[in-house]
Amino acid sequence: LTPVELPAARIVRHPLYPTEGEKTGVERRTGYDLALLRLTAPVSDTAATPLVPSRALVAEPRLLIASYRGGQGERARERTCPVIAASDRMIEMGCDVRPGESGAPVLQRGPDGLVLVGVLSARAEDGPRKLGIAAGSTRIGQLQALMGPDLPAP
């Protein structure tokens, strides 16, 4: 598929994301590292499949990350990652996350297909183990509420 680029009409950053230089813990830095964009025009169904945000708790032992770091000729990267710990606020997964993958959707299989349960926000290491950390569904819902009444929360 050919990438589609559309300008943003509105951008809402999570208000609890720390300001530059503010000392915070890992949950504050990674758990609120998200923004929501309203595009100037809808993306066609032929260019992208809409993701449905879910308030359901992570129930699967493995989640899917679909990321694209950009770059000429670079392919999208899809993989499943084992869940280490999960709540509606943050998800910790055992997988290698590369620079540039922040903002990638974290998906879970639901009865009607894939649903959005988080947004990738950081990578870390625990000894030899590589970790991916995502902001969870509650934080996505908070941003949807801030965006306004014409964008319903899940």
Side-chain angles (χ1 to χ4, degrees), residues 64-80:
L64 173 69
I65 296 177
S67 62
Y68 176 72
R69 298 182 333 160
Q72 190 70 19
E74 182 142 348
R75 296 178 49 103
R77 184 173 181 226
E78 295 180 9
R79 66 219 177 269
T80 58

Side-chain angles (χ1 to χ4, degrees), residues 65-151:
I65 296 177
S67 62
Y68 176 72
R69 298 182 333 160
Q72 190 70 19
E74 182 142 348
R75 296 178 49 103
R77 184 173 181 226
E78 295 180 9
R79 66 219 177 269
T80 58
C81 298
V83 175
I84 295 171
S87 73
D88 60 338
R89 296 184 326 258
M90 286 187 64
I91 304 165
E92 185 179 330
M93 299 163 289
C95 62
D96 183 23
V97 174
R98 298 178 188 166
E101 291 185 298
S102 292
V106 177
L107 306 166
Q108 174 175 270
R109 293 207 183 280
D112 298 322
L114 294 173
V115 293
L116 181 68
V117 293
V119 175
L120 196 59
S121 60
R123 65 187 185 129
E125 293 184 14
D126 182 14
R129 188 168 62 164
K130 306 241 186 247
L131 305 174
I133 302 171
S137 59
T138 294
R139 309 267 162 84
I140 298 167
Q142 291 167 342
L143 275 179
Q144 287 180 297
L146 290 172
M147 184 59 86
D150 55 335
L151 184 68

